[in-house]
Amino acid sequence: MARFPTSPAPNRLLRLFSSNKRSSSPTAALLTGDFQLIRHFSAGTAARAAKDGKEPWWKESMDKLRNIGISAHIDSGKTTLTERVLFYTGRIHEIHEVRGRDGVGAKMDSMDLEREKGITIQSAATYCTWKDYKVNIIDTPGHVDFTIEVERALRVLDGAILVLCSVGGVQSQSITVDRQMRRYEVPRVAFINKLDRMGADPWKVLNQARAKLRHHSAAVQMPIGLEENFQGLIDLIHVKANFFHGSSGENVVAGDIPADMEGLVAEKRRELIETVSEVDDILAEKFLNDEPVSATELEEAIRRATIAQKFVPVFMGSAFKNKGVQPLLDGVISYLPSPNEVNNYALDQTNNEERVTLTGSPDGPLVALAFKLEEGRFGQLTYLRVYEGVIKKGDFIINVNTGKRIKVPRLVRMHSNDMEDIQEAHAGQIVAVFGVECASGDTFTDGSVKYTMTSMSVPEPVMSLAVQPVSKDSGGQFSKALNRFQKEDPTFRVGLDPESGQTIISGMGELHLDIYVERIRREYKVDATVGKPRVNFRETITQRAEFDYLHKKQSGGAGQYGRVTGYVEPLPPGSKEKFEFENMIVGQAIPSGFIPAIEKGFKEAANSGSLIGHPVENLRIVLTDGASHAVDSSELAFKMAAIYAFRLCYTAARPVILEPVMLVELKVPTEFQGTVAGDINKRKGIIVGNDQEGDDSVITAHVPLNNMFGYSTSLRSMTQGKGEFTMEYKEHSAVSNEVQAQLVNAYNASKATD
């Protein structure tokens, strides 16, 4: 081997070529160190391969790649499952529990806060190998407040494992996660975990998945015994029993099916074949003709139906007791798609965002999506999913969203928060790069195409809190923390309250913001005080009002002189702009050099309306006349004139307060529908839709955000924890006179006390 070049990229190619026993010319090229030939060989390989009847160089490595996520309801045991997967694939050499007594914590929970609370917050990415296949795993959080993490992970995956608890069954977050998987068209397998627990009933959970998640599913395994008698699993495809021996269940031993279970096994296998044949024509033909179905035929049919998202195979086991994890890994390889079996689309920015299907081959132009950012020890770490082409260390890539050209200084493969350097990555792989400034959701190309991956739907933040550091000295660390969190999480926003000068953070709910305040304390050692939650109001005017104001100040030496005349009026409904300024002065009543200062003055004045001090929008200001002085006029004078003119005419324009109205979608079991609808009315909401979806009622309503604080808590108590809701910003609309009077009085009272 000493004669071979040491570059990892050609060595990887060499392994592919020699394992495929294909044409020896590239291998010969490698032996002589002639890399140029390899480049010619790979470019346009697909076309030549089609002629020669051979497959392109990357075909085998793509077929042997899986990008999967593990998603579930909180506490279904998905981090424990990932820990076992890493152990059996040789990535870690000992097992630690999530809330382990050894104080180490699970490998994938790399943040102190996660280890302490026993929950997963960030979706750590890791990769492992199983039976010659490379598997990238993204471990995702199960709390509702972190759904942006789940959505980001699903966006870049080709398949997923949905973990269900054999005792808890299908819970609210399982439904949310499943809905997200459906949105991103992710094929999935289900894993019913915790069969060793008291009250475990996998068949009940399977029926719940069919009813609540509307899965077309059937079990591909069945347990031998349950609860403390859980001994092993029966493989219904190959009709054999599997037992798990060794201190950590690492030895899978095939055995005979217990005699008393043979009848049930035959019945369950027939049910599996029948369920799959309903969605697969090839198997249906055999089933209807009563022909025997071999294990290979059944496996192929399940694979076709799973990738087409028509069927969900159900696996079983107990990750904690080390049973059933290896057959699940086999199932991931057998039934979930490789990157080239999934259709991915991009939007062509040069052609009015037309959808373009990506080939998914490393021969095409580079297209990669930054789906997660982290602040690491060596600067910003950006997780990339490569959809097409090849990315190499030292290459120049272009961020399509910003137009910046960036060099790739370092390319790594991630294992939770450890990393290993690699020289290149091709389509289908998930890698991380260092030193690349970007936001999550940005697309990178090699410059030959201008594609962006469809932007992930990022919900608007629904809750704001005022935060400030306790000690003045820690301001630098505090702002560093906020900048980092904003880049990492698009649903976390930071702003400044111009009135109080406080920092306002906004996010997806109370737990979401609490976790960030806690992370500021933990990771940056900054204690922060948290204020009350608040709503972002706006003000606007409802009629035209004239202004004519002269700003004159004489104080010895050069004075100030500026006169502005014109009118303000509301913009027509549906205008794209929130603020318009128009100069309609004929002649030189005001020198043109002062006009920008006047516009700046009006804009500044509109930042704070006189009703409750919130920004004024949907406003058009027209300047019709004015006067200037040869000596005393200045930019400052005209800016001040504009500010005072706006304040004087504002009251005459009959201002009103606008409040954010949210589009709220609730999903609650039908028996709670009346209670929930009554509560929406109490919160001054308008119900605009009510549909039935299985056993659930789906209620759509428009509700003022000001009346939605603490809603998640009250919804849980009204629906025994079974209800869930999503809330997104709809519009700002005028408040009633009574509410306006209350808000104005509260604002005046707070000003009086200041």
Side-chain angles (χ1 to χ4, degrees):
M1 287 299 283
R3 285 160 52 215
F4 283 32
T6 53
S7 163
N11 275 338
R12 181 175 60 72
L13 284 179
L14 179 60
R15 280 204 304 281
L16 294 174
F17 285 125
S18 52
S19 64
N20 275 359
K21 299 188 173 55
R22 299 197 188 119
S23 151
S24 62
S25 60
T27 316
L30 279 170
L31 288 166
T32 55
D34 183 2
F35 302 142
Q36 208 52 42
L37 186 57
I38 285 295
R39 286 196 67 83
H40 285 303
F41 184 84
S42 63
T45 314
R48 271 206 304 282
K51 273 186 204 162
D52 305 345
K54 290 177 186 167
E55 292 178 331
W57 63 268
W58 42 264
K59 182 81 170 73
E60 190 190 11
S61 94
M62 287 280 269
D63 287 345
K64 294 206 160 185
L65 183 62
R66 297 287 181 273
N67 292 318
I68 63 160
I70 300 181
S71 290
H73 187 87
I74 181 172
D75 266 359
S76 297
K78 61 178 180 296
T79 302
T80 309
L81 174 64
T82 312
E83 198 76 0
R84 299 305 185 269
V85 169
L86 297 180
F87 176 72
Y88 296 132
T89 53
R91 292 294 294 177
I92 55 175
H93 303 297
E94 55 187 319
I95 289 173
H96 296 288
E97 301 315 328
V98 174
R99 289 194 176 102
R101 291 198 185 93
D102 56 7
V104 179
K107 176 78 185 174
M108 296 295 276
D109 285 349
S110 58
M111 234 192 277
D112 290 345
L113 193 61
E114 297 181 1
R115 295 187 179 198
E116 190 177 291
K117 293 196 171 183
I119 59 172
T120 314
I121 297 166
Q122 288 180 326
S123 45
T126 192
Y127 103 106
C128 54
T129 48
W130 179 253
K131 297 185 177 173
D132 291 340
Y133 284 79
K134 288 189 168 65
V135 182
N136 284 312
I137 302 171
I138 302 227
D139 186 36
T140 54
H143 283 272
V144 180
D145 284 340
F146 309 125
T147 48
I148 188 69
E149 287 273 0
V150 182
E151 292 211 356
R152 262 203 236 144
L154 293 180
R155 179 75 181 78
V156 297
L157 298 178
D158 303 321
I161 301 171
L162 179 65
V163 185
L164 300 168
C165 173
S166 66
V167 183
V170 174
Q171 292 152 295
S172 59
Q173 184 69 4
S174 321
I175 298 168
T176 310
V177 167
D178 192 69
R179 194 184 299 146
Q180 287 167 334
M181 286 185 194
R182 204 166 275 149
R183 180 192 296 170
Y184 289 114
E185 298 179 353
V186 179
R188 49 211 178 275
V189 300
F191 180 67
I192 298 175
N193 195 11
K194 304 193 177 184
L195 290 186
D196 59 305
R197 283 205 21 212
M198 284 286 291
D201 185 352
W203 307 112
K204 175 196 80 178
V205 179
L206 178 57
N207 289 328
Q208 277 183 355
R210 287 170 178 162
K212 291 188 180 177
L213 305 176
R214 297 192 300 292
H215 278 181
H216 189 78
S217 57
V220 292
Q221 295 173 322
M222 59 181 292
I224 302 170
L226 283 172
E227 300 176 1
E228 66 265 26
N229 303 321
F230 177 46
Q231 292 159 10
L233 293 161
I234 293 169
D235 181 342
L236 294 175
I237 294 168
H238 298 93
V239 196
K240 61 174 187 183
N242 287 324
F243 299 95
F244 304 88
H245 296 311
S247 59
S248 303
E250 60 271 29
N251 304 324
V252 183
V253 180
D256 294 330
I257 294 170
D260 59 337
M261 293 185 74
E262 282 174 358
L264 188 59
V265 169
E267 182 195 319
K268 290 289 178 193
R269 188 173 197 267
R270 185 176 169 79
E271 185 188 309
L272 169 65
I273 295 169
E274 189 178 340
T275 312
V276 178
S277 65
E278 285 171 22
V279 290
D280 186 81
D281 297 342
I282 301 168
L283 192 70
E285 208 171 304
K286 288 210 138 216
F287 178 70
L288 293 170
N289 296 337
D290 252 352
E291 294 173 31
V293 177
S294 72
T296 314
E297 287 168 337
L298 185 50
E299 269 187 335
E300 285 170 0
I302 293 174
R303 181 175 179 78
R304 284 191 299 270
T306 306
I307 291 174
Q309 296 158 58
K310 292 176 179 172
F311 178 73
V312 179
V314 177
F315 291 81
M316 300 179 184
S318 164
F320 186 62
K321 288 282 190 275
N322 309 317
K323 289 183 172 74
V325 178
Q326 296 97 321
L328 175 65
L329 277 168
D330 292 339
V332 164
I333 304 299
S334 304
Y335 307 131
L336 291 181
S338 61
N340 51 359
E341 290 174 299
V342 178
N343 285 331
N344 285 305
Y345 298 96
L347 299 178
D348 189 348
Q349 295 302 319
T350 56
N351 193 5
N352 202 15
E353 293 217 336
E354 195 174 314
R355 273 171 72 135
V356 184
T357 306
L358 297 174
T359 59
S361 88
D363 284 337
L366 172 71
V367 178
L369 174 75
F371 68 95
K372 189 165 190 333
L373 311 177
E374 273 177 21
E375 196 69 41
R377 293 189 295 276
F378 311 105
Q380 183 174 302
L381 182 67
T382 308
Y383 286 85
L384 286 181
R385 158 77 199 256
V386 186
Y387 283 97
E388 195 169 275
V390 176
I391 185 170
K392 293 194 177 86
K393 182 180 172 179
D395 271 1
F396 281 97
I397 55 175
I398 286 168
N399 182 336
V400 180
N401 300 59
T402 62
K404 283 184 184 164
R405 189 163 176 259
I406 304 158
K407 188 177 182 181
V408 180
R410 189 176 169 201
L411 203 58
V412 294
R413 193 181 275 136
M414 291 305 293
H415 173 46
S416 195
N417 59 348
D418 306 337
M419 58 196 75
E420 60 191 79
D421 280 277
I422 52 174
Q423 295 302 309
E424 67 163 36
H426 64 67
Q429 293 184 324
I430 290 175
V431 289
V433 292
F434 270 108
V436 171
E437 276 296 310
C438 67
S440 65
D442 284 359
T443 306
F444 292 95
T445 67
D446 54 10
S448 60
V449 289
K450 204 171 179 192
Y451 292 165
T452 57
M453 298 308 294
T454 43
S455 67
M456 296 173 284
S457 54
V458 176
E460 280 288 314
V462 295
M463 188 171 246
S464 303
L465 287 176
V467 286
Q468 59 188 78
V470 174
S471 76
K472 289 275 191 294
D473 310 337
S474 49
Q477 284 291 85
F478 181 67
S479 52
K480 202 169 157 189
L482 295 180
N483 286 341
R484 174 187 159 189
F485 297 152
Q486 266 188 107
K487 267 191 178 171
E488 279 181 22
D489 182 352
T491 57
F492 180 74
R493 314 270 171 91
V494 178
L496 204 67
D497 183 346
E499 279 292 308
S500 60
Q502 284 180 310
T503 305
I504 307 293
I505 58 171
S506 314
M508 295 313 296
E510 286 157 276
L511 178 61
H512 189 208
L513 295 177
D514 284 351
I515 289 282
Y516 276 118
V517 172
E518 186 69 19
R519 278 184 68 187
I520 291 171
R521 196 169 294 146
R522 280 293 162 87
E523 293 170 40
Y524 290 88
K525 309 283 185 289
V526 176
D527 273 326
T529 51
V530 180
K532 269 206 192 105
R534 47 159 288 179
V535 169
N536 307 323
F537 291 103
R538 294 282 179 272
E539 297 182 26
T540 191
I541 56 172
T542 55
Q543 68 180 35
R544 176 174 157 155
E546 311 281 335
F547 60 82
D548 182 353
Y549 184 80
L550 170 64
H551 177 67
K552 192 174 171 187
K553 204 173 184 186
Q554 205 65 45
S555 54
Q560 292 180 18
Y561 185 96
R563 182 178 180 181
V564 289
T565 310
Y567 59 88
V568 296
E569 63 181 5
L571 283 169
S575 300
K576 281 188 181 171
E577 295 297 321
K578 303 271 191 215
F579 176 92
E580 273 183 24
F581 175 79
E582 202 172 326
N583 175 19
M584 291 179 74
I585 296 178
V586 180
Q588 285 288 310
I590 299 175
S592 55
F594 294 137
I595 301 294
I598 296 171
E599 183 177 352
K600 196 176 173 190
F602 278 119
K603 267 191 179 156
E604 207 170 285
N607 271 339
S608 169
S610 57
L611 288 178
I612 55 168
H614 280 258
V616 184
E617 55 182 41
N618 298 337
L619 179 73
R620 181 164 179 260
I621 296 174
V622 180
L623 193 62
T624 55
D625 200 2
S628 64
H629 186 279
V631 178
D632 289 353
S633 284
S634 64
E635 285 193 358
L636 177 67
F638 276 108
K639 185 181 159 187
M640 296 309 292
I643 290 173
Y644 289 122
F646 180 81
R647 286 184 188 164
L648 280 179
C649 73
Y650 187 61
T651 326
R654 297 206 24 218
V656 291
I657 297 171
L658 304 175
E659 66 178 344
V661 173
M662 310 304 281
L663 175 67
V664 180
E665 192 176 284
L666 298 122
K667 199 169 187 185
V668 295
T670 309
E671 66 259 34
F672 303 115
Q673 183 186 343
T675 322
V676 171
D679 184 68
I680 291 283
N681 290 331
K682 220 190 295 178
R683 292 171 189 270
K684 298 194 171 70
I686 301 161
I687 293 174
V688 292
N690 196 339
D691 297 315
Q692 207 64 22
E693 211 175 89
D695 297 339
D696 292 334
S697 281
V698 179
I699 300 170
T700 316
H702 299 160
V703 193
L705 176 61
N706 207 23
N707 304 337
M708 287 297 285
F709 284 128
Y711 187 64
S712 50
T713 318
S714 54
L715 181 68
R716 276 181 207 135
S717 60
M718 280 187 290
T719 60
Q720 297 167 13
K722 293 175 190 163
E724 56 173 60
F725 78 103
T726 55
M727 187 159 71
E728 58 185 76
Y729 170 75
K730 183 181 179 290
E731 62 186 2
H732 269 78
S733 67
V735 300
S736 64
N737 292 340
E738 174 199 351
V739 173
Q740 180 154 326
Q742 284 173 4
L743 291 167
V744 171
N745 291 340
Y747 175 68
N748 292 337
S750 71
K751 268 178 81 175
T753 56
D754 285 351

